[in-house]
Amino acid sequence: MNLLEELNTILKHLLPIETGVFSGVPPDLYVVITPLVDTFELHVDNEPVYEIQEARLSLFAKGNYTAIKTKLVRTLLGADFTITDRRYIGHEDDTGYYHYAIDVAKHYEFQVEMEE
């Protein structure tokens, strides 16, 4: 499993979620996942052992978002994600959405796939 698959699996029951951009007409409350970076921070004998994958969850809400923000954070922490940043981005006057970002990271064992 990778970061995007895991995020979609655990969050799809909370609210509408898509990757990159919301397709179609967006509801009053939704999340867009934006992949940020994949890094090799941990090495053994010059070979990567773990890959750290990071993404931004952009929460868009037309009303008060604090309750769902708290639920998202608790769900992510309960699923062993590291939250690297949380911040209010602003109100989008043209759409009426409040935008709040939660950046997450998770370590995955790195598997080298061999060609057959």
Side-chain angles (χ1 to χ4, degrees):
M1 187 169 277
N2 65 40
L3 182 75
L4 293 177
E5 291 172 334
E6 197 167 348
L7 286 170
N8 276 293
T9 299
I10 66 168
L11 298 179
K12 68 182 177 184
H13 303 292
L14 295 178
L15 67 167
I17 186 166
E18 293 205 26
T19 302
V21 66
F22 202 90
S23 59
V25 178
D28 288 350
L29 179 67
Y30 66 96
V31 166
V32 171
I33 304 171
T34 304
L36 295 176
V37 67
D38 300 333
T39 59
F40 296 126
E41 294 291 328
L42 303 172
H43 292 78
V44 174
D45 295 330
N46 294 327
E47 296 292 328
V49 178
Y50 289 95
E51 176 179 35
I52 301 170
Q53 299 178 13
E54 298 183 41
R56 172 166 285 170
L57 303 176
S58 292
L59 173 63
F60 293 94
K62 286 208 172 178
N64 189 332
Y65 60 87
T66 55
I68 191 65
K69 173 192 73 164
T70 301
K71 189 168 190 165
L72 277 171
V73 167
R74 289 185 178 157
T75 300
L76 293 163
L77 292 173
D80 295 324
F81 283 90
T82 299
I83 296 178
T84 60
D85 192 32
R86 298 182 300 159
R87 69 182 60 221
Y88 176 70
I89 303 299
H91 183 266
E92 298 177 353
D93 294 335
D94 57 332
T95 63
Y97 285 99
Y98 292 95
H99 182 183
Y100 190 86
I102 303 170
D103 292 353
V104 297
K106 195 157 191 183
H107 292 70
Y108 294 92
E109 188 172 339
F110 182 68
Q111 301 288 329
V112 177
E113 296 179 20
M114 305 303 265
E115 290 185 31
E116 293 181 26

